[in-house]
Amino acid sequence: MFEARLDSSVTLKKVLEAIKDLLNDASFDCSDTGIQLQAMDNSHVSLVSLTLKSDGFDKYRCDRNITMGMNLASMVKILKCANNDDTVTIKAQDDADTVTFMFESKKQDKISDYAMKLMNLDQEHLGIPDTDFSCVIRMPSIEFARICRDLAQFGESIGIACTKEGVKFSASGDIGSANVKIAQTSNFEKEEESVTIEMQEPVALTFACQYLNSFTKATPLSPQVQLSMSDNVPLVVEYTVPELGHIRYYLAPKIEE
Amino acid sequence: VTTQGRLDGFFTVL
């Protein structure tokens, strides 16, 4: 028996919004420690790694490890049937071929359940090596989303160059070029609005706008985003899922020829 | 000219 409950379905809605652009289907691996999802997009350019810890749920029970393959578009359809403040309970029997989403209104005057067919996805599990990154940037997630959106107007790629002075985002194309420089903030009172840079060595890499903009769909989850970069390894873009865990996106850089 | 890199090779298949 698997059962996981969240007091408000909006968190699950936000998590789904954050991954549905990149993945059509995904396997949710459920164990007593929580729910894990790890999948590359079809073109093997990006990888999504989602961790939702069991102790972050309002109720969590997982008697036996189960992997639930779900179509994300179908999941989105079902979650649309829930109000943001409805309690959501995800339930599945061991060896089940369906998963049930139960929504309960706060007043307990409406209870609905939706059963969704599970899929056999046979996804590979990948080992992600620990990396000491040359640069780790923390900045407001809204600012990062704004920069990705603005620079996408200029070209298909965004250059991210990090030095101890700050981070420079740049793009160029037919209409011209754009540069946005973000400096480390000295005011640490408002942590959510701060920009911090931990730099061992300067790094400059180029990434596809389309993927960065997909990652920013996670913005509603967290006020801050963390960008980790080193030469010759994927960029890691991490958002915290408050109280539950995190979502990490890995993106292969563009290669100069 | 830049080409899009792939993730294959960065991760190990468990």
Side-chain angles (χ1 to χ4, degrees):
Chain A
M1 175 78 183
F2 171 78
E3 192 173 338
R5 188 169 75 204
L6 287 171
D7 272 349
S8 73
S9 67
V10 69
T11 308
L12 195 56
K13 289 183 183 208
K14 287 177 184 173
V15 167
L16 265 179
E17 282 301 310
I19 61 176
K20 74 172 174 62
D21 280 9
L22 294 159
L23 308 171
N24 297 323
D25 309 307
S27 287
F28 291 76
D29 295 318
C30 307
S31 69
D32 57 359
T33 58
I35 302 174
Q36 283 264 2
L37 177 156
Q38 196 196 74
M40 284 201 223
D41 70 283
N42 284 336
S43 55
H44 287 204
V45 170
S46 71
L47 177 137
V48 179
S49 174
L50 169 73
T51 299
L52 303 174
K53 292 175 289 178
S54 55
D55 55 12
F57 288 86
D58 298 296
K59 182 181 176 187
Y60 191 92
R61 175 184 164 186
C62 185
D63 301 335
R64 264 210 289 168
N65 291 1
I66 56 164
T67 295
M68 296 193 286
M70 300 198 214
N71 175 271
L72 297 183
S74 304
M75 214 175 156
V76 168
K77 282 180 189 170
I78 289 175
L79 264 295
K80 276 193 178 147
C81 303
N83 286 319
N84 281 354
D85 63 349
D86 283 355
T87 296
V88 53
T89 307
I90 309 167
K91 278 196 266 194
Q93 300 294 331
D94 294 339
D95 304 319
D97 55 7
T98 60
V99 58
T100 299
F101 296 88
M102 185 172 78
F103 306 128
E104 296 167 85
S105 65
K106 279 282 173 290
K107 286 192 220 158
Q108 288 284 315
D109 54 354
K110 181 181 173 187
I111 298 174
S112 40
D113 62 82
Y114 297 85
M116 187 176 85
K117 286 176 196 158
L118 292 173
M119 310 166 81
N120 267 324
L121 293 175
D122 198 27
Q123 276 178 348
E124 283 175 336
H125 284 76
L126 299 170
I128 299 172
D130 283 330
T131 305
D132 289 324
F133 288 98
S134 301
C135 296
V136 178
I137 304 149
R138 289 183 197 85
M139 63 185 288
S141 60
I142 289 175
E143 192 59 63
F144 178 60
R146 176 74 198 260
I147 291 167
C148 292
R149 192 194 69 190
D150 291 350
L151 297 199
Q153 303 181 103
F154 288 83
E156 291 175 357
S157 304
I158 294 181
I160 307 178
C162 183
T163 64
K164 60 179 185 301
E165 280 78 38
V167 193
K168 188 173 87 171
F169 298 87
S170 52
S172 61
D174 292 342
I175 64 167
S177 61
N179 291 293
V180 180
K181 288 176 198 156
I182 299 284
Q184 189 160 207
T185 49
S186 50
N187 178 3
F188 292 102
E189 280 172 27
K190 289 184 179 169
E191 201 184 331
E192 293 185 354
E193 294 170 18
S194 67
V195 175
T196 58
I197 298 164
E198 285 168 28
M199 194 207 74
Q200 314 300 322
E201 276 180 74
V203 181
L205 293 167
T206 304
F207 302 99
C209 283
Q210 177 204 336
Y211 287 93
L212 294 174
N213 273 308
S214 292
F215 302 165
T216 64
K217 297 288 162 64
T219 304
L221 283 168
S222 180
Q224 284 257 314
V225 60
Q226 179 173 299
L227 313 177
S228 304
M229 298 202 299
S230 282
D231 278 334
N232 304 316
V233 302
L235 164 76
V236 186
V237 179
E238 178 173 339
Y239 295 84
T240 300
V241 184
E243 278 136 52
L244 270 175
H246 58 255
I247 180 160
R248 288 187 188 134
Y249 303 96
Y250 294 78
L251 177 60
K254 290 205 165 186
I255 303 160
E256 298 277 352
E257 303 243 322
Chain B
V1 179
T2 57
T3 54
Q4 177 60 59
R6 298 278 178 273
L7 288 177
D8 306 285
F10 283 121
F11 304 123
T12 50
V13 179
L14 299 176

